[in-house]
Amino acid sequence: MDIVKRLVEPIKGTHRNVTTDNYYSSYPVAQHLLQNGQTFIGTSKKNKKEIPPEFLPNRSREIGNCLFGLQNDFCLVSCQTKRNKAVLFLSPMHETAEIDTATGKPVVNLDYNATKGGVDTVDYICTSYST
């Protein structure tokens, strides 16, 4: 939370979108950004306390199945990508359970993929250095 707060301070109140991977994503981070005039899209780790058990990976869920949770200006999406793997997206930008007809993916997933270039660049740069 402290890292995200410090990094977004220069763009506070500009109504820009912040895209993060699961290392920096959480419900409190998304709330903070929303209160400061920014939108947010991020993937989330499965061990967060605010994730309902129904959204966690489940062997009985069909591959490609997506669950949507909409509450208080936030959208939580769980996409089952493999037998026991799900990707979780958190976004206050999306207000509906909308799926793109051309790809069959949730719109939140497409928006995340379109804006995650900085996340991929940071991950790539971090692998270049050992500590």
Side-chain angles (χ1 to χ4, degrees):
M1 175 76 124
D2 294 334
I3 294 169
V4 174
K5 282 182 178 180
R6 190 180 72 229
L7 289 173
V8 300
E9 186 63 32
I11 60 169
K12 191 175 185 178
T14 61
H15 302 287
R16 293 184 183 174
N17 181 56
V18 177
T19 301
T20 69
D21 64 359
N22 61 18
Y23 188 75
Y24 299 102
S25 293
S26 68
Y27 183 70
V29 167
Q31 281 182 314
H32 172 77
L33 293 172
L34 192 60
Q35 290 168 354
N36 287 297
Q38 294 154 326
T39 56
F40 172 85
I41 300 176
T43 57
S44 183
K45 291 184 179 182
K46 286 102 183 136
N47 63 353
K48 302 286 184 181
K49 65 181 179 182
E50 56 267 6
I51 306 294
E54 299 82 17
F55 285 75
L56 299 176
N58 187 337
R59 289 181 178 267
S60 64
R61 275 180 58 195
E62 185 180 324
I63 295 173
N65 177 283
C66 293
L67 293 176
F68 291 86
L70 305 166
Q71 180 183 18
N72 298 336
D73 298 327
F74 283 89
C75 177
L76 178 67
V77 181
S78 173
C79 296
Q80 187 84 18
T81 57
K82 294 182 181 176
R83 186 167 181 221
N84 202 25
K85 182 177 180 189
V87 178
L88 297 170
F89 296 97
L90 177 63
S91 173
M93 279 180 56
H94 299 84
E95 299 173 351
T96 60
E98 191 175 351
I99 294 182
D100 183 57
T101 55
T103 62
K105 293 181 179 181
V107 172
V108 66
N109 186 350
L110 298 177
D111 290 345
Y112 174 80
N113 288 341
T115 59
K116 71 175 183 154
V119 173
D120 290 339
T121 302
V122 169
D123 288 344
Y124 174 75
I125 292 170
C126 288
T127 60
S128 302
Y129 298 96
S130 64
T131 54

